[in-house]
Amino acid sequence: MGHPRSRTRTRTLATATATATVTLTALVFLTGTPAFADDEDPSAPPGSTTTSPPPEVDSNSPGLKLADGATLAPAKVLDIKSVVEDLGGEERREDTNTDVKFALQAEVLFPKDSNKLNPEANARIKAIAEEAKAQKATTVRVFGFTDNLGSYSHGKTLSRKRAEAVHDKLASYLGPEVTYSVRGYSEDYPIADNTSEQGRKKNRRVEVTFPRGETGASDAGTQS
C-alpha cells in the first residue's frame, strides 16, 4: 500500500513533559489527495500507513549502479513527518507539510463496544476542533477503525458509527462551512500488531485529518 519509502527514525523520550516524540523524515513522492465524497469507497484511507517491512534491496544489483561518469543529483527531502504520541498512547498527532492527523484510541472516546461518546471525549474533540480552526480547515476526514476481534462486518458497522459520533461533535464546534468525509474501515489498515492487546488497543481508534493552513505549513516537523 503506497509507494515504498526509505526512512530514518529518531525517537526521543521527554519525561519532563510526559510525551513521547517520534520524528520521521521520509523521502516520498507526493500526489494530491482530494477529499472523498461519502458515496465513494477508496481502497485505502488517504494518509494511511502500513506496518509491513520494507522490501529487501541488493546493493550489488547492476541496476542500482551509476554508469561511468554519472553523478547523483542533490538529495531532496520532499516531505517531513512529525509524530507526537502521549506516553499512554491514547492520543497521537502526525504533522506533514500538507496535513494534520489526530488518532484517538477508542477507549478514551467510547465505552467498550459502544458508539456513544463518554464525558472525557468532549474535551479531546474540542481541542482537535480548535486546531482545525487554527489551520483554517474547510475539509475534514473522520475515519474509524477497530481491531481484528469479532466479525469484520460488526467492526465495519461499529467503526463507521464511531466516526459518525466524532463527526457530529466536531461539526457542532466547526460550523456548517466545513465539508466532511466519514467512513469506517473495521480492522483494515492497522497501525500496530493485532496479536497483542497493546497493539489492538492502538488499532481501535478514530482518526481526524485536515489540511494544514498556510500559516502553519512551515511548522511541520517542529512539534515538541
Side-chain angles (χ1 to χ4, degrees), residues 121-195:
N122 186 60
R124 291 180 180 268
I125 296 173
K126 184 177 181 180
I128 294 175
E130 292 299 324
E131 181 63 20
K133 289 179 181 179
Q135 301 293 342
K136 297 179 172 60
T138 57
T139 59
V140 176
R141 300 191 296 262
V142 187
F143 295 157
F145 304 85
T146 63
D147 58 28
N148 65 347
L149 300 181
S151 70
Y152 183 86
S153 60
H154 175 71
K156 190 86 169 179
T157 300
L158 180 61
S159 59
R160 170 74 188 208
K161 288 184 176 180
R162 284 177 166 176
E164 289 174 345
V166 173
H167 156 263
D168 292 345
K169 183 61 68 173
L170 278 173
S172 70
Y173 292 122
L174 295 178
E177 64 275 8
V178 177
T179 300
Y180 297 87
S181 295
V182 183
R183 294 188 185 85
Y185 284 97
S186 189
E187 66 194 59
D188 294 335
Y189 315 110
I191 60 174
D193 191 347
N194 269 314
T195 61

Side-chain angles (χ1 to χ4, degrees), residues 23 28-29 36 46 48 65 75 85 93 95 109 115 129 150 157 160 177 192 204 207 210 212 220:
T23 303
V28 298
F29 293 99
F36 290 91
S48 62
K65 295 182 179 180
E85 183 178 277
R93 172 173 174 159
D95 285 84
L109 298 176
N115 62 298
T157 300
R160 170 74 188 208
E177 64 275 8
R204 299 190 293 264
E207 293 182 354
F210 44 86
R212 293 184 65 84

Side-chain angles (χ1 to χ4, degrees), residues 86-102:
D86 62 22
L87 288 177
E90 295 177 347
E91 184 170 331
R92 175 185 177 97
R93 172 173 174 159
E94 297 182 10
D95 285 84
T96 70
N97 293 340
T98 57
D99 293 299
V100 179
K101 180 196 294 184
F102 288 90

